[in-house]
Amino acid sequence: MSRQAAIRIFALFALGYFLSYVYRGLNIGFAPFLSREMGLTASDLGLLTSFYFIGFALAQLPAGLALDRYGARRTDAVLLLVAAVGTVLYGMTHSMQGLIVGRILIGVGVSVCLGAGFLAIAQNFPSSRWPLLNGLMVALGGMGGVVVGTPLAVLLTQYSWREISIGMAVFTVAVAAVIWLLVPESKQRHASHESVSKQIHGIRIILKNSVFWRVVPFPCAVGGAFYAAQSLWVKPYLTDVSELTARQADSLVSMLGLTMVAGTVITGMVARKIERYGLGLRAFCGLGMALFVLVQLLILFRVPVSLTLIWGAYGFLAASCILAYALLAEVFPRKVVGRVTTAFNMIFFISIFSMQVGVGFVLDFWPATEGHYPAVAHLTAWGMMVAIQLLSAILYFWPGALKVDEQLFE
């Protein structure tokens, strides 16, 4: 493959994942307009926003079948059209039911963007470059989180949320078209020769496989804790426990987002180079996640360290869990990488949702004063998340080789 073709493949799938990240955060900017125009309460907005994740999670296993059967190019392009239909409905409806259906369709439509990108990397690049390219893919997608901040706020001063939704649909169709037309079909054999029942049987094998369950829980616990906190609970922790002002907390939240992006790139670059010193991908990924747990303990015990330093390390080390995608691609046969990635994604998103809801549930055991919870409430909730990560680490570091025989899927 030429260098130009390789760059084109990576860039187009990264663009698709960037788009999915923008969709994930659109309601941050839309929320006040939805409340005013549609009469939605805070609980309505929370429920509505969560339907993206529901659609995303429910689509993972069938999306994995499609990836392995039809390939990354066709699956990603077709599903992006579903997202376009969803956002048109979202922008034109005048009912809560229409918003919900639109949000679900958007979640389904972008559900394969990351998995398609990882599969394309696994099929078109040498394994020595997977950690770096996977990290770059996640980092570029993560920049979509920047777009739903100030840029979206500026757009909303010029256009309505409905017009922006229609504009997103047009852009999504354009991205689907360029992926379909400009990404070459992979030379890797797809699983289209397998019956659907055999492919489903392959998913069952993955979900019952002990190696899968030794690898997956720790990165899902780490990623679940980080993304649940980053998207909702970090700022309340900083204001209620660390007693920062809202502006100071906002600065730290932005900073840890940037360090997370930096972490995905740097850990991906270092992962393969450090193998020459005897530290393999499994060990390096595990070390980074273990250090992430250590940083959380330092935060919980309020060790006298600069908040900028400790929260910067929190964001940077959280990126270690992304290396698990490359690890799973090494452990499992290439013909099931799509299904393995989407099965992992499903559990990952369930973990984020569960931890985000769980923290709120724990906090409600203490009465809030003017919207603020006592420090003990946050410390208890975060301590429980750390305990879950420590338990899952036992499985990850349990001695034994990690390799799945291809004959299991014959």
Side-chain angles (χ1 to χ4, degrees), residues 148-223:
V148 297
T150 301
L152 178 59
V154 172
L155 277 177
L156 284 166
T157 64
Q158 304 296 321
Y159 305 96
S160 72
W161 69 272
R162 294 184 183 277
E163 291 171 329
I164 292 173
S165 292
I166 302 304
M168 282 291 294
V170 173
F171 183 60
T172 303
V173 171
V175 172
V178 296
I179 288 175
W180 183 275
L181 295 173
L182 299 182
V183 172
E185 192 67 28
S186 172
K187 295 180 181 180
Q188 294 282 339
R189 184 183 62 172
H190 302 315
S192 57
H193 64 289
E194 295 182 349
S195 66
V196 173
S197 62
K198 189 171 183 180
Q199 286 184 276
I200 294 174
H201 179 64
I203 289 179
R204 292 198 191 102
I205 292 172
I206 291 166
L207 292 176
K208 291 180 179 179
N209 190 274
S210 61
V211 172
F212 181 82
W213 288 109
R214 282 170 56 197
V215 173
V216 164
F218 194 23
C220 283
V222 166

Side-chain angles (χ1 to χ4, degrees), residues 64-75:
L65 287 172
L67 281 174
D68 286 331
R69 188 175 184 85
Y70 302 111
R73 165 183 161 269
R74 286 183 282 181
T75 303

Side-chain angles (χ1 to χ4, degrees), residues 329-406:
E330 283 188 348
V331 168
F332 282 84
R334 287 198 183 187
K335 72 176 184 177
V336 298
V337 165
R339 279 167 281 180
V340 170
T341 298
T342 49
F344 181 33
N345 268 345
M346 179 184 70
I347 299 164
F348 199 96
F349 272 79
I350 290 173
S351 177
I352 297 170
F353 174 80
S354 300
M355 290 200 179
Q356 193 166 82
V357 171
V359 170
F361 179 78
V362 172
L363 291 181
D364 280 337
F365 277 94
W366 283 266
T369 303
E370 297 181 353
H372 295 277
Y373 290 91
V376 66
H378 291 281
L379 294 172
T380 301
W382 283 58
M384 289 181 175
M385 289 197 292
V386 170
I388 292 170
Q389 292 168 71
L390 288 171
L391 289 173
S392 63
I394 296 172
L395 282 174
Y396 186 90
F397 289 110
W398 198 265
L402 295 181
K403 195 65 181 175
V404 178
D405 192 341
E406 186 171 357

Side-chain angles (χ1 to χ4, degrees), residues 63-363:
L65 287 172
L67 281 174
D68 286 331
R69 188 175 184 85
Y70 302 111
R73 165 183 161 269
R74 286 183 282 181
T75 303
D76 201 17
V78 170
L79 281 180
L80 282 173
L81 296 180
V82 175
V85 171
T87 196
V88 168
L89 175 61
Y90 196 81
M92 296 181 67
T93 189
H94 292 274
S95 69
M96 180 65 169
Q97 292 79 5
L99 290 173
I100 288 172
V101 173
R103 192 71 176 163
I104 290 173
L105 288 175
I106 291 170
V108 170
V110 300
S111 65
V112 78
C113 289
L114 183 60
F118 285 169
L119 178 60
I121 288 170
Q123 290 183 333
N124 292 283
F125 296 88
S127 61
S128 61
R129 305 181 78 177
W130 292 351
L132 171 60
L133 292 174
N134 284 356
L136 285 172
M137 180 79 66
V138 173
L140 292 171
M143 296 306 293
V146 176
V147 171
V148 297
T150 301
L152 178 59
V154 172
L155 277 177
L156 284 166
T157 64
Q158 304 296 321
Y159 305 96
S160 72
W161 69 272
R162 294 184 183 277
E163 291 171 329
I164 292 173
S165 292
I166 302 304
M168 282 291 294
V170 173
F171 183 60
T172 303
V173 171
V175 172
V178 296
I179 288 175
W180 183 275
L181 295 173
L182 299 182
V183 172
E185 192 67 28
S186 172
K187 295 180 181 180
Q188 294 282 339
R189 184 183 62 172
H190 302 315
S192 57
H193 64 289
E194 295 182 349
S195 66
V196 173
S197 62
K198 189 171 183 180
Q199 286 184 276
I200 294 174
H201 179 64
I203 289 179
R204 292 198 191 102
I205 292 172
I206 291 166
L207 292 176
K208 291 180 179 179
N209 190 274
S210 61
V211 172
F212 181 82
W213 288 109
R214 282 170 56 197
V215 173
V216 164
F218 194 23
C220 283
V222 166
F226 174 77
Y227 287 110
Q230 183 197 30
S231 60
L232 188 58
W233 296 120
V234 162
K235 185 174 179 179
Y237 185 96
L238 290 169
T239 55
D240 297 353
V241 180
S242 300
E243 299 180 346
L244 301 185
T245 65
R247 180 174 293 182
Q248 289 172 326
D250 286 336
S251 296
L252 282 179
V253 170
S254 297
M255 183 268 299
L256 74 87
L258 290 173
T259 56
M260 167 66 175
V261 171
T264 58
V265 176
I266 293 173
T267 55
M269 291 174 62
V270 172
R272 290 303 185 192
K273 293 181 180 179
I274 207 167
E275 283 185 327
R276 68 187 66 171
Y277 300 105
L279 194 66
L281 184 58
R282 175 189 178 186
F284 183 66
C285 177
L287 175 62
M289 293 189 293
L291 290 173
F292 176 73
V293 175
L294 176 61
V295 166
Q296 291 171 88
L297 289 171
L298 295 177
I299 291 171
L300 291 177
F301 285 104
R302 304 194 222 187
V303 175
V305 179
S306 162
L307 290 179
T308 300
L309 177 62
I310 200 73
W311 286 102
Y314 177 85
F316 185 90
L317 292 168
S320 301
C321 68
I322 302 302
L323 293 171
Y325 285 100
L327 177 60
L328 287 168
E330 283 188 348
V331 168
F332 282 84
R334 287 198 183 187
K335 72 176 184 177
V336 298
V337 165
R339 279 167 281 180
V340 170
T341 298
T342 49
F344 181 33
N345 268 345
M346 179 184 70
I347 299 164
F348 199 96
F349 272 79
I350 290 173
S351 177
I352 297 170
F353 174 80
S354 300
M355 290 200 179
Q356 193 166 82
V357 171
V359 170
F361 179 78
V362 172
L363 291 181

